Amino acid sequence: MHLRDVSPDDVDAYVRMRCDPIMMADLGGPLPAEGMADKVRRDARQAAADLGWFKMIVPDGAGPDVVAGTVTLRSCDTDEGPVSEMGWMVLPAFQGQGLGKRAVRTLLEQAREQDRWGLVHAFPATGNAASNGICRSVGFRFLSEVDVSFAGRALRSNHWVVDPGTDLA
């Protein structure tokens, strides 16, 4: 598995992840396909400017156009101020192969190597066993259940935090 920056050509992958009822079940349901091209362009611009890490997960042996999912690390605003937030999605055909866990670990190791991002937070839905399992397995510490906003939707999530410099399992 390797990670590459998102590009404006990744609209189809974003649609397959963010507009699919199964993929978005824990995130309040599918998003509309309208606006996805703009979202991809914004993410690609931020990645190119190194303002955030927006990575596409590419399985071993696959060409760069084969995408298994995404993993991101970016600054976001919360009620307590800005935090570094990590998120990930893996398409159903690639789930259960450890790609999400490897992608999360790879990005956290990169954060450690670059001494960037400080404490990293993750907010998987309380019912998302796979994502909460990834948090546990790579060294995130559970803080609490919280209500978060995603795409204008209020979601009940688990709040996890990890210090890539000291906590990685």
Side-chain angles (χ1 to χ4, degrees), residues 50-131:
D50 199 29
L51 298 174
W53 293 345
F54 297 83
K55 303 292 185 178
M56 306 306 285
I57 303 169
V58 179
D60 286 334
D65 58 328
V66 175
V67 172
T70 61
V71 61
T72 63
L73 183 50
R74 63 187 182 89
S75 180
C76 71
D77 293 321
T78 69
D79 292 340
E80 288 79 41
V83 299
S84 298
E85 180 181 357
M86 181 172 239
W88 53 89
M89 298 180 96
V90 177
L91 287 161
F94 298 97
Q95 292 175 2
Q97 301 174 30
L99 293 172
K101 179 179 175 180
R102 288 174 35 210
V104 167
R105 181 180 301 284
T106 297
L107 220 54
L108 289 171
E109 288 171 350
Q110 184 177 340
R112 179 184 59 218
E113 290 164 6
Q114 294 185 19
D115 193 22
R116 183 170 175 191
W117 300 106
L119 295 176
V120 175
H121 300 259
F123 300 93
T126 56
N128 188 328
S131 286

